[in-house]
Amino acid sequence: MRRISDSEGGKARVFYANHQEVLLPPTTANRTWMVEITLWSGLEGGGPPRVQEHQIRQADLAWLDSATDDLYYTARAVWETALALGSEDYTGVHLLRLLDDSFRLIDWREPTSPQFETSIKNARAHLDAGLKDMSQTATSRATVVSHSHIDLAWLWRFRHTREKAARSFSTQLRLMEEFPEYRFVQSQPQLYEWLKSDHPELYARIQKAVANNQWEPEGAMWVEADTNLPGGESLARQLLFGMRFFEREFGRRSTMLWLPDAFGYSAALPQLLNQVGIRTFITTKLSWNQYNRMPHDTFWWRGIDGSEVLVHLITTPPDGWENRDRWFTTYNGILTAGTVLASWRHYQDRALHDEVLIAYGYGDGGGVNRDMVEMRRRLDRMPSLPAVEPGSVAQYANRLHERVRESFTPVHTWDGELYLEYHGGTYTSQGHIKFANRQLELTLREAEWLAAWAFHTKPDIWAAAQHQINEAWKILLRNQFHDILPGSSIHEVYQDQRAEFSTAQDAVQTVQREALAALTVLTEDAWILVNSAPWTRSGVVRMEQGSNLRNLRTTNGERPSVQVLEDDVWLYVRDVPGLGSQTLKEASPGTISSGEDLFQWDPIQRHLTTPYYEVRWNAVGQMVRLFDRRADREILAPESIANVFEVLEDNPLDFDAWDIDLFYQDKRWIVDQLTKLEWVGSGPVLAALRLEWTYPGAVIRQTIRWYAADPRIDFDTVIAWHTHHQLLKVAFPVQVRSRVAKPPMLTRRLRQLRPHFVAKIGIR
Ligand SMILES: [Zn+2]
């Protein structure tokens, strides 16, 4: 990155890889200019830093001849259009002839001479006249919005993104000054908030550009988040924090959800979007599907509860991909005749609407440059291309809705999750952040609920606590960004995330503790069980060993079942009210009870009878029978075994951290080196069995627990895994046919109807 500023305090200009020129105003003469060079060598995907050598090969101070510059761009647009239309198209052939005729008029002998200048003007006039003759009213339109997709972290950390955003945004403001028709869209309030604190003067210029309708703050969410892994409340907060920010800072609400790059879209979104008043969703990512192209680019998307939003899939291919077999589209469009024409020709709903949307500009590197704005102006005048007009995404969406309302052409509906047939590995990569994300979500929920409950005690204190809770929410929300939570960032990003999560957890747990202290009176002989769920719960409670814990009574005199197992005390507690609590007190000494053991373990047969199940293991610790005594049926499929650890080869075609390809199941090894099968014990509350297996580079330790008053079975598994390019799965082939599975992280339809039947990874 280089920066150039003048000696008289003029605004600095920034130039770098995708923005290699800076236009200096005519008043430049006789001033001294400072050129500042900052080198960003990258984190190289992490790992130990390497020695690098960088060279500046060329830097010129040049005079721009506007007439020649104009001819260059117009001629380029004509040439590109001719190529895009092809030799079988009459307009294409005609354009090439016109270009030839114009260029024959140029006198190349002595550039900058009066003869050269006159010949350039003549060539330009000839080209203009020819284009005018061929002009026709465009029947279709491409609304182009300039954009810079900024990954909040990925191959770089937050602190680099803060600098990157400032550079990119200052370039965009400069273009707005030089090209009054220029429009720019930018999502992610988190970026704006950083900018506001790092560069308030730049931020003020953005606010002004927003007021002038040149800068469009849009997108609804706090960051462009993953939507598969965050809980429902997090998705709601992404929208709440995002919408509030746009409204407070720019005086406008977002009108659409802008997630061009997230890896698939939860079916919960239409409902949440409707609730914040959003009716439109725009993306490109579904075109990355490995197998199936979506059948429509404009369609209604119906969520879990039946709410609907209108979806538009951007149809712009990357430059050079216009004619490839593999079709995918981009939010980092490059404006050429080829990409504009292909955006229109590949729009599958042309019968419905005669307008497409193109988001153009370099992502993660400054957005649009002058070259693209100049080309936009020329492409707009090319025959046989759609009109290429700058505009706003919100206005594009309004026209699309209007068209859908008025048209007789049917608009189809997609019901349920918008699954991305790609990047299936992002559900498991960097597992620690998935776990930490859910932990922080739950702590936030409990702290917020308790603080709200405690509000009446000291309103000032709890209002201040809400500020701390909100700051922790922001930490969580920004780390749900679509390259962080999915696990596709470099190691350094997760170092930052761990530190941030630990700060957030500490702050929120402090609020939680203080709220509980404000709400309850703790005495030495009492325990208070708090139920944060909104329904009455009965269940097992695990407590650390303490005095007289075996002798507890609830306030209404009931005695919960109690069992000591290894270092813990386990209680079975009934009817703790929803969003409420139950107090347990130590009864007077001398009345310790020992409940009846409700489990039978046969170590020779490796057979267990519980109040709910009959279970049997084989000699390598796998479950060969699981019989449901209440329903009187076998749970496992015939001839099958469960709790089987399978190792599978993990060598995807691309993107190691992102992808699990369908053929990963072709090679399979079973973990069967059982090193421990140990009965831990049983009693009135629970029974537990401990197992341990080894595998080259790995140790798997598992404790399985059954409960006397609850059909739940817990498989508590700790795995030391030091292997490479191997996946571990655990198989439970059950005799249940269901189209939906609900693992703790997400609900996933097991198999979609054709044509998507081959494409879902992970759960089958
Ligand atoms: Zn991205």
Side-chain angles (χ1 to χ4, degrees), residues 149 151 261 482-483:
H149 178 77
D151 289 306
D261 194 27
H482 64 258
D483 274 319

Side-chain angles (χ1 to χ4, degrees), residues 47 77 117 231 300 376 528 711:
E117 278 180 25
W300 288 107
R376 201 290 306 158
I528 296 167

